[in-house]
Amino acid sequence: MALRGRKARKINIDVPVDSDLPIRLKSVSEQTKLSYCELLEKWLFTEERENQANEKHREEEFLKWTQQFEARLADIQSQLFALWKKPEEEGGPSEQDYRRVLLQRIRNLRNEGMSFVKISEMFNKEGVPTVSGTGKWYPSSISQFLTTNGTF
């Protein structure tokens, strides 16, 4: 007997003694006029589709969670940068603290493989103030900052 162009294989399935599976399988087979193999094939196909749907749902949930996390992170960063822009007299950080945090952030970004160009673009986009508090970030200013404030 061939199923959809494939040879049927005999499969032995161990069923617990107290299981009503054989009775239910026989009943469904009689009602649907499908063989046990066809029922098993339909069941496996249905389960595979459900697994694919569940996987897609998990991916969508993960994407949604990631977007929420990134939005929250951007909000926190903007709040932190607003604080960094305050002068020390108004509760902002000292220049030394700012340099230390900035240096660590640049090192982390460099360790992730980000170039000076990308870091400067990101800092300008996020509104990260330069150490002087004026001007924009450039790749050369990132490089110079690392050279003068830490190991390159």
Side-chain angles (χ1 to χ4, degrees), residues 40-131:
L40 181 60
E41 188 177 57
K42 285 187 177 295
W43 176 73
L44 290 173
F45 179 72
T46 301
E47 187 171 284
E48 183 179 335
R49 274 194 317 206
E50 288 175 1
N51 287 341
Q52 289 172 348
N54 288 339
E55 181 65 27
K56 184 177 180 183
H57 176 71
R58 281 192 295 272
E59 288 173 4
E60 289 170 353
E61 285 296 311
F62 180 75
L63 180 62
K64 185 172 131 184
W65 178 85
T66 302
Q67 290 170 340
Q68 290 172 346
F69 176 78
E70 288 173 350
R72 181 70 181 125
L73 182 61
D75 183 46
I76 291 170
Q77 284 178 333
S78 67
Q79 291 174 14
L80 285 173
F81 293 134
L83 177 65
W84 284 118
K85 290 178 183 180
K86 285 184 175 181
E88 191 172 356
E89 303 82 45
E90 296 177 22
S94 68
E95 185 177 327
Q96 183 180 6
D97 288 340
Y98 183 64
R99 285 177 182 273
R100 186 175 26 252
V101 171
L102 195 57
L103 179 63
Q104 187 59 49
R105 184 158 185 226
I106 293 171
R107 283 181 179 161
N108 291 343
L109 294 171
R110 290 291 291 162
N111 288 338
E112 291 173 12
M114 196 173 281
S115 69
F116 293 139
V117 172
K118 293 291 183 191
I119 293 172
S120 62
E121 289 172 356
M122 185 176 76
F123 280 7
N124 289 326
K125 182 180 174 187
E126 291 176 353
V128 177
T130 60
V131 178

Side-chain angles (χ1 to χ4, degrees), residues 12-48:
N12 291 326
I13 301 174
D14 292 328
V15 179
V17 177
D18 58 346
S19 172
D20 66 342
L21 180 63
I23 297 166
R24 290 174 38 211
L25 193 57
K26 183 178 180 183
S27 172
V28 171
S29 177
E30 288 171 355
Q31 291 172 11
T32 61
K33 306 291 188 235
L34 295 172
S35 71
Y36 293 164
C37 289
E38 290 169 322
L39 287 173
L40 181 60
E41 188 177 57
K42 285 187 177 295
W43 176 73
L44 290 173
F45 179 72
T46 301
E47 187 171 284
E48 183 179 335

